Amino acid sequence: MPKITVLPHADLCPDGAVIDDAESGKSLCETLLEHDIEIEHACEMSCACTTCHCVVRQGFDSLNESDELEEDMLDKAWGLEPNSRLSCQAVIGDDDLVIEIPRYTINHAREQH
Ligand code: FES
C-alpha cells in the first residue's frame, strides 16, 4: 500500500499528515477526505472547479496521466506548478507520494482580492 505524506497546510492539517494505508486505484481527493483532510472539492470531483488542486512533490510519475480537460482546468488553478494535479482526477499508483495542498484555491483568491 502506498504511503501518502501530506505536507503541513495552515487550515487543513497544520502539522502535516501521513496516510499509510492508501489504496492504489483510488483518487487522491477521495483518499484525503477519507482521512479527515478536508480538501476543497467544490464540483464534487467532476473536474470542473480546480479547488482540489494539489502539488505532487514526490511520486508524480506513479499517478495516472492527466487528460486534456484536467490540464485545461489546472491552468486556472491558484499556484500552478509543473507537478500540479487536480486531486479528484489523480489516481494513486503503487509508489509513495508526498503532496502539498496549496495555501489558496481560486475560491479563496476571489474572496481576498
Ligand atoms: S473537485 Fe472540482 S476539479 Fe476536483
Side-chain angles (χ1 to χ4, degrees):
M1 276 180 178
K3 178 172 94 174
I4 302 178
T5 305
V6 186
L7 299 178
H9 179 282
D11 303 321
L12 299 177
C13 53
D15 298 324
V18 176
I19 297 171
D20 46 21
D21 58 350
E23 270 177 63
S24 318
K26 212 172 215 187
S27 83
L28 200 47
C29 190
E30 258 181 295
T31 304
L32 292 172
L33 293 170
E34 277 171 12
H35 290 82
D36 298 325
I37 299 171
E38 297 295 327
I39 186 164
E40 281 187 55
H41 50 290
C43 72
E44 294 300 334
M45 308 187 202
S46 57
C47 198
C49 74
T50 80
T51 60
C52 66
H53 172 210
C54 69
V55 180
V56 184
R57 296 283 176 218
Q58 239 176 64
F60 185 81
D61 291 337
S62 70
L63 299 168
N64 63 324
E65 277 196 30
S66 53
D67 61 17
E68 219 173 294
L69 178 61
E70 182 183 346
E71 292 296 328
D72 285 354
M73 289 307 298
L74 266 175
D75 280 344
K76 304 182 183 129
W78 187 93
L80 183 68
E81 296 199 22
N83 281 7
S84 286
R85 289 296 303 260
L86 293 180
S87 66
C88 71
Q89 302 302 308
V91 178
I92 298 168
D94 293 324
D95 294 353
D96 292 349
L97 303 172
V98 176
I99 66 156
E100 184 173 343
I101 302 172
R103 198 176 161 86
Y104 301 116
T105 65
I106 47 170
N107 283 355
H108 285 115
R110 249 186 238 133
E111 279 160 25
Q112 291 177 3
H113 299 288

